[in-house]
Protein backbone atom coordinates (compact mmCIF):
# COMPACT_ATOMS: atom_id res chain seq x y z
CA UNK A 1 0.00 0.00 0.00
CA UNK A 2 1.23 3.45 -0.92
CA UNK A 3 1.01 5.18 2.46
CA UNK A 4 2.61 8.36 1.09
CA UNK A 5 -0.08 8.67 -1.57
CA UNK A 6 -2.80 8.01 0.97
CA UNK A 7 -1.40 10.63 3.32
CA UNK A 8 -1.20 13.16 0.50
CA UNK A 9 -4.80 12.42 -0.42
CA UNK A 10 -5.99 12.93 3.15
CA UNK A 11 -4.01 16.14 3.48
CA UNK A 12 -5.77 17.54 0.41
CA UNK A 13 -9.08 17.30 2.23
CA UNK A 14 -7.79 18.74 5.48
CA UNK A 15 -8.97 17.84 8.99
CA UNK A 16 -12.47 16.95 7.77
CA UNK A 17 -11.13 14.21 5.50
CA UNK A 18 -8.99 12.82 8.32
CA UNK A 19 -12.08 12.71 10.53
CA UNK A 20 -14.05 10.91 7.82
CA UNK A 21 -11.21 8.43 7.35
CA UNK A 22 -11.34 7.66 11.08
CA UNK A 23 -15.11 7.19 10.82
CA UNK A 24 -14.64 4.80 7.91
CA UNK A 25 -12.32 2.62 9.98
CA UNK A 26 -14.78 2.72 12.88
CA UNK A 27 -17.66 1.82 10.55
CA UNK A 28 -15.91 -1.25 9.16
CA UNK A 29 -14.95 -2.32 12.68
CA UNK A 30 -18.52 -1.94 13.97
CA UNK A 31 -20.01 -3.86 11.05
CA UNK A 32 -17.60 -6.78 11.42
CA UNK A 33 -18.04 -6.80 15.20
CA UNK A 34 -21.83 -6.77 14.87
CA UNK A 35 -21.86 -9.63 12.36
CA UNK A 36 -19.61 -11.63 14.69
CA UNK A 37 -21.83 -10.91 17.70
CA UNK A 38 -25.03 -11.82 15.86
CA UNK A 39 -23.45 -15.03 14.62
CA UNK A 40 -22.43 -15.99 18.15
CA UNK A 41 -25.92 -15.24 19.45
CA UNK A 42 -27.55 -17.39 16.78
CA UNK A 43 -29.49 -14.57 15.16
CA UNK A 44 -29.89 -16.65 12.01
CA UNK A 45 -30.54 -19.98 13.74
CA UNK A 46 -33.94 -21.06 14.99
CA UNK A 47 -34.53 -24.68 14.01
CA UNK A 48 -33.60 -26.09 17.42
CA UNK A 49 -35.87 -23.63 19.21
CA UNK A 50 -38.75 -24.37 16.86
CA UNK A 51 -38.41 -28.11 17.50
CA UNK A 52 -38.32 -27.53 21.27
CA UNK A 53 -41.43 -25.35 21.08
CA UNK A 54 -43.20 -28.11 19.18
CA UNK A 55 -42.30 -30.53 21.98
CA UNK A 56 -43.51 -28.06 24.60
CA UNK A 57 -46.81 -27.50 22.80
CA UNK A 58 -47.28 -31.25 22.54
CA UNK A 59 -46.84 -31.54 26.30
CA UNK A 60 -43.29 -32.93 26.31
CA UNK A 61 -41.97 -30.24 28.62
CA UNK A 62 -38.89 -32.01 29.94
CA UNK A 63 -37.69 -32.84 26.45
CA UNK A 64 -38.27 -29.26 25.32
CA UNK A 65 -36.34 -27.73 28.24
CA UNK A 66 -33.51 -30.25 27.87
CA UNK A 67 -33.17 -29.43 24.16
CA UNK A 68 -32.68 -25.73 24.92
CA UNK A 69 -30.55 -25.99 28.05
CA UNK A 70 -27.17 -24.35 27.54
CA UNK A 71 -27.99 -22.99 24.09
CA UNK A 72 -26.56 -19.54 23.27
CA UNK A 73 -29.13 -18.56 20.63
CA UNK A 74 -31.23 -15.54 21.56
CA UNK A 75 -34.41 -17.38 20.65
CA UNK A 76 -33.37 -20.47 22.58
CA UNK A 77 -32.42 -18.49 25.68
CA UNK A 78 -35.73 -16.66 25.71
CA UNK A 79 -37.76 -19.80 25.08
CA UNK A 80 -35.89 -21.69 27.82
CA UNK A 81 -36.38 -18.79 30.24
CA UNK A 82 -40.10 -18.72 29.46
CA UNK A 83 -40.37 -22.48 29.94
CA UNK A 84 -38.47 -22.33 33.23
CA UNK A 85 -40.68 -19.53 34.53
CA UNK A 86 -43.87 -21.27 33.42
CA UNK A 87 -42.74 -24.55 35.00
CA UNK A 88 -41.83 -22.86 38.29
CA UNK A 89 -44.66 -23.57 40.70
CA UNK A 90 -43.50 -20.77 42.99
CA UNK A 91 -44.36 -18.16 40.36
CA UNK A 92 -47.83 -17.04 39.42
CA UNK A 93 -48.67 -16.75 35.75
CA UNK A 94 -48.31 -12.97 35.91
CA UNK A 95 -44.96 -13.19 37.69
CA UNK A 96 -43.70 -15.75 35.18
CA UNK A 97 -44.68 -13.47 32.32
CA UNK A 98 -42.97 -10.50 33.98
CA UNK A 99 -39.76 -12.47 34.45
CA UNK A 100 -39.85 -13.58 30.82
CA UNK A 101 -40.37 -9.99 29.70
CA UNK A 102 -37.41 -8.85 31.78
CA UNK A 103 -35.13 -11.44 30.20
CA UNK A 104 -36.44 -10.65 26.72
CA UNK A 105 -35.60 -6.96 27.16
CA UNK A 106 -32.05 -7.83 28.20
CA UNK A 107 -31.60 -10.14 25.21
CA UNK A 108 -32.95 -7.51 22.83
CA UNK A 109 -30.50 -4.96 24.22
CA UNK A 110 -27.73 -7.37 23.26
CA UNK A 111 -29.24 -7.83 19.80
CA UNK A 112 -29.35 -4.07 19.22
CA UNK A 113 -25.97 -3.25 20.75
CA UNK A 114 -23.78 -1.20 18.43
CA UNK A 115 -26.63 0.18 16.31
CA UNK A 116 -26.59 3.67 17.82
CA UNK A 117 -22.96 4.33 16.79
CA UNK A 118 -23.76 3.23 13.23
CA UNK A 119 -26.77 5.52 13.19
CA UNK A 120 -24.62 8.40 14.43
CA UNK A 121 -21.95 7.76 11.79
CA UNK A 122 -24.52 7.64 8.98
CA UNK A 123 -25.81 11.02 10.17
CA UNK A 124 -22.63 12.96 10.88
CA UNK A 125 -20.33 11.67 8.12
CA UNK A 126 -22.11 13.65 5.35
CA UNK A 127 -22.27 16.70 7.62
CA UNK A 128 -18.54 16.56 8.28
CA UNK A 129 -17.97 16.18 4.54
CA UNK A 130 -20.18 19.18 3.82
CA UNK A 131 -18.36 21.22 6.46
CA UNK A 132 -15.02 20.34 4.86
CA UNK A 133 -16.36 21.37 1.45
CA UNK A 134 -17.63 24.71 2.74
CA UNK A 135 -14.33 25.46 4.44
CA UNK A 136 -12.43 24.44 1.31
CA UNK A 137 -14.60 26.66 -0.89
CA UNK A 138 -14.05 29.59 1.46
CA UNK A 139 -10.30 29.07 1.24
CA UNK A 140 -10.44 28.77 -2.55
CA UNK A 141 -12.37 32.00 -2.99
CA UNK A 142 -10.13 33.79 -0.51
CA UNK A 143 -7.17 32.74 -2.65
CA UNK A 144 -9.03 34.02 -5.72
CA UNK A 145 -9.67 37.36 -4.06
CA UNK A 146 -6.05 37.71 -2.96
CA UNK A 147 -4.77 37.01 -6.46
CA UNK A 148 -6.86 39.79 -7.98
CA UNK A 149 -6.47 40.11 -11.74
CA UNK A 150 -3.77 37.42 -11.74
CA UNK A 151 -6.24 34.66 -10.88
CA UNK A 152 -5.57 31.33 -12.55
CA UNK A 153 -8.80 29.42 -13.30
CA UNK A 154 -6.89 26.12 -13.12
CA UNK A 155 -5.78 26.88 -9.57
CA UNK A 156 -9.33 27.81 -8.59
CA UNK A 157 -10.70 24.61 -10.13
CA UNK A 158 -8.10 22.59 -8.29
CA UNK A 159 -9.09 24.16 -5.00
CA UNK A 160 -12.76 23.47 -5.64
CA UNK A 161 -12.35 19.77 -6.48
CA UNK A 162 -10.15 19.29 -3.46
CA UNK A 163 -12.88 20.86 -1.34
CA UNK A 164 -15.51 18.56 -2.85
CA UNK A 165 -13.46 15.51 -1.85
CA UNK A 166 -14.80 15.67 1.68
CA UNK A 167 -18.44 15.63 0.57
CA UNK A 168 -17.85 12.57 -1.59
CA UNK A 169 -15.90 10.86 1.20
CA UNK A 170 -18.62 11.60 3.75
CA UNK A 171 -21.27 10.05 1.51
CA UNK A 172 -19.03 7.06 0.81
CA UNK A 173 -18.91 6.36 4.56
CA UNK A 174 -22.54 7.20 5.35
CA UNK A 175 -24.12 5.00 2.67
CA UNK A 176 -22.59 1.67 3.83
CA UNK A 177 -23.23 2.62 7.46
CA UNK A 178 -26.91 3.32 6.72
CA UNK A 179 -27.26 0.08 4.73
CA UNK A 180 -25.66 -1.97 7.51
CA UNK A 181 -27.83 -0.23 10.11
CA UNK A 182 -31.01 -1.08 8.19
CA UNK A 183 -29.93 -4.70 7.81
CA UNK A 184 -29.01 -5.12 11.48
CA UNK A 185 -32.29 -3.51 12.55
CA UNK A 186 -34.24 -5.93 10.34
CA UNK A 187 -32.38 -8.86 11.92
CA UNK A 188 -33.11 -7.55 15.42
CA UNK A 189 -36.78 -6.99 14.54
CA UNK A 190 -37.08 -10.54 13.22
CA UNK A 191 -35.46 -11.93 16.37
CA UNK A 192 -37.84 -9.86 18.52
CA UNK A 193 -40.87 -11.16 16.61
CA UNK A 194 -39.64 -14.75 16.99
CA UNK A 195 -39.04 -14.25 20.71
CA UNK A 196 -42.51 -12.82 21.22
CA UNK A 197 -44.00 -15.75 19.31
CA UNK A 198 -41.99 -18.24 21.38
CA UNK A 199 -43.09 -16.70 24.68
CA UNK A 200 -46.72 -16.67 23.57
CA UNK A 201 -46.58 -20.34 22.58
CA UNK A 202 -44.98 -21.29 25.88
CA UNK A 203 -47.61 -19.54 28.01
CA UNK A 204 -50.62 -20.62 25.95
CA UNK A 205 -49.64 -24.29 25.71
CA UNK A 206 -51.62 -26.91 27.56
CA UNK A 207 -50.51 -28.98 30.51
CA UNK A 208 -47.64 -31.47 30.35
CA UNK A 209 -48.44 -35.04 29.35
CA UNK A 210 -45.28 -36.48 30.97
Amino acid sequence: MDWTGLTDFLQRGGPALWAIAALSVLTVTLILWKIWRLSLSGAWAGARTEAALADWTAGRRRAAMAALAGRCSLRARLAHAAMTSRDNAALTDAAAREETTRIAKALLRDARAGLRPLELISTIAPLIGLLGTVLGMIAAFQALQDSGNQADPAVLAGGIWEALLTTAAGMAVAIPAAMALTWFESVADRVQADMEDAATRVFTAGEAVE
Side-chain angles (χ1 to χ4, degrees):
M1 180 179 294
D2 186 3
W3 293 105
T4 302
L6 179 60
T7 302
D8 291 341
F9 173 77
L10 293 175
Q11 288 177 344
R12 286 177 180 269
L17 196 54
W18 282 97
I20 293 172
L23 287 178
S24 69
V25 174
L26 180 59
T27 300
V28 173
T29 303
L30 282 172
I31 291 174
L32 294 177
W33 173 80
K34 190 60 183 176
I35 292 174
W36 176 68
R37 288 284 297 174
L38 288 175
S39 298
L40 288 181
S41 62
W44 296 285
R48 181 67 63 88
T49 304
E50 185 63 30
L53 287 171
D55 285 338
W56 179 272
T57 304
R60 297 185 293 271
R61 293 190 175 184
R62 292 181 182 177
M65 295 176 67
L68 297 180
R71 305 292 296 180
C72 62
S73 165
L74 293 171
R75 297 175 179 86
R77 289 162 64 187
L78 187 279
H80 187 265
M83 292 175 184
T84 302
S85 298
R86 172 77 188 277
D87 199 50
N88 188 348
L91 294 178
T92 63
D93 184 70
R97 290 176 183 271
E98 286 294 326
E99 177 63 13
T100 302
T101 300
R102 182 188 67 81
I103 295 174
K105 289 180 179 179
L107 293 175
L108 286 174
R109 281 197 300 270
D110 291 341
R112 297 183 182 278
L115 298 188
R116 285 294 181 88
L118 277 177
E119 182 180 5
L120 181 61
I121 290 172
S122 66
T123 300
I124 67 173
L127 297 179
I128 294 175
L130 182 60
L131 175 61
T133 295
V134 171
L135 294 177
M137 295 289 286
I138 291 173
F141 282 110
Q142 282 181 337
L144 178 63
Q145 180 182 19
D146 294 340
S147 61
N149 295 331
Q150 304 298 323
D152 185 353
V155 175
L156 178 60
I160 292 175
W161 80 258
E162 287 180 5
L164 291 173
L165 279 177
T166 57
T167 295
M171 291 181 179
V173 172
I175 291 173
M179 293 175 63
L181 175 64
T182 301
W183 178 43
F184 291 142
E185 285 181 337
S186 68
V187 173
D189 289 342
R190 185 165 62 251
V191 169
Q192 180 177 356
D194 290 346
M195 290 168 63
E196 291 175 351
D197 177 71
T200 300
R201 292 167 65 181
V202 167
F203 282 99
T204 57
E207 296 298 323
V209 297
E210 299 170 335

